[in-house]
Amino acid sequence: MKQALILHGPNLNMLGVREPDIYGAVSLDDINARLQEESIKLGLQLRFFQSNHEGVLIDQLQEAAGWASGVVFNPAGYTHTSVALRDAIAAIQIPVIEVHLSNVSGRESFRQVSLTAPVCRGTVAGFGWRSYLYALHALVELIAEE
Ligand code: DQA
């Protein structure tokens, strides 16, 4: 069975209690459980990882290139700052789909810039936890085509 990584960046371990008006009331564990359930229907095996540390996220992306067929990635605050994460995404051959719970295009100007999006295959933003769900479906189709 094909495998994929669901990768969550900084502060996403706080989902559910962190600014719920913006990010929703669903916890990270709940999001992962919902994706896990969906992945069974889709015939894809998922691994989940969250880190608050840029270098650890880079390690995860590099390692994923060795075992995963693709990555669904919410770089969170690093989206707007991290050249190193952008380079890590560009360096690996598997598709990476960027995800945001909130509609970053409609928020503060610094959030409207994504350093990572140009090297991802696409971006899903603004649908709360379902952004991950839609990205997962897109990834399954990309993997099937490749
Ligand atoms: C976020 C949007 C980012 O701007 C923010 O720093 C986050 C979460 C989102 O999922 O909406 O931490 O990536």
Side-chain angles (χ1 to χ4, degrees), residues 9-12 15 18 22-23 74-80 99-104 107-108 110-111 126 132:
N11 300 305
L12 296 172
L15 285 179
R18 171 194 182 208
I22 297 174
Y23 299 116
N74 185 346
Y78 287 136
T79 306
H80 320 295
V99 160
H100 299 287
L101 297 124
S102 64
N103 180 10
V104 281
R107 298 184 63 194
E108 303 97 319
F110 65 87
R111 288 187 210 277
Y132 286 94

Side-chain angles (χ1 to χ4, degrees), residues 62-141:
Q62 291 181 3
E63 283 171 27
W67 62 266
S69 299
V71 183
V72 170
F73 183 27
N74 185 346
Y78 287 136
T79 306
H80 320 295
T81 63
S82 180
V83 173
L85 271 171
R86 177 197 172 108
D87 289 348
I89 296 165
I92 60 176
Q93 300 300 317
I94 54 174
V96 178
I97 300 185
E98 180 164 317
V99 160
H100 299 287
L101 297 124
S102 64
N103 180 10
V104 281
S105 303
R107 298 184 63 194
E108 303 97 319
S109 55
F110 65 87
R111 288 187 210 277
Q112 295 175 18
V113 176
S114 172
L115 299 189
T116 44
V119 290
C120 290
R121 288 294 286 274
T123 301
V124 183
F127 301 102
W129 75 269
R130 287 188 177 79
S131 293
Y132 286 94
L133 187 70
Y134 303 148
L136 181 63
H137 278 260
L139 184 64
V140 166
E141 293 192 8

Side-chain angles (χ1 to χ4, degrees), residues 26-80:
V26 183
S27 71
L28 192 64
D29 282 348
D30 281 344
I31 293 175
N32 288 343
R34 291 173 191 194
L35 296 178
Q36 175 62 31
E37 203 180 306
E38 192 69 11
S39 72
I40 294 164
K41 295 182 209 158
L42 294 169
L44 187 70
Q45 197 167 48
L46 300 183
R47 291 191 206 170
F48 301 92
F49 197 88
Q50 188 275 331
S51 178
N52 293 323
H53 304 280
E54 191 175 22
V56 175
L57 294 165
I58 292 167
D59 290 343
Q60 285 295 317
L61 287 165
Q62 291 181 3
E63 283 171 27
W67 62 266
S69 299
V71 183
V72 170
F73 183 27
N74 185 346
Y78 287 136
T79 306
H80 320 295

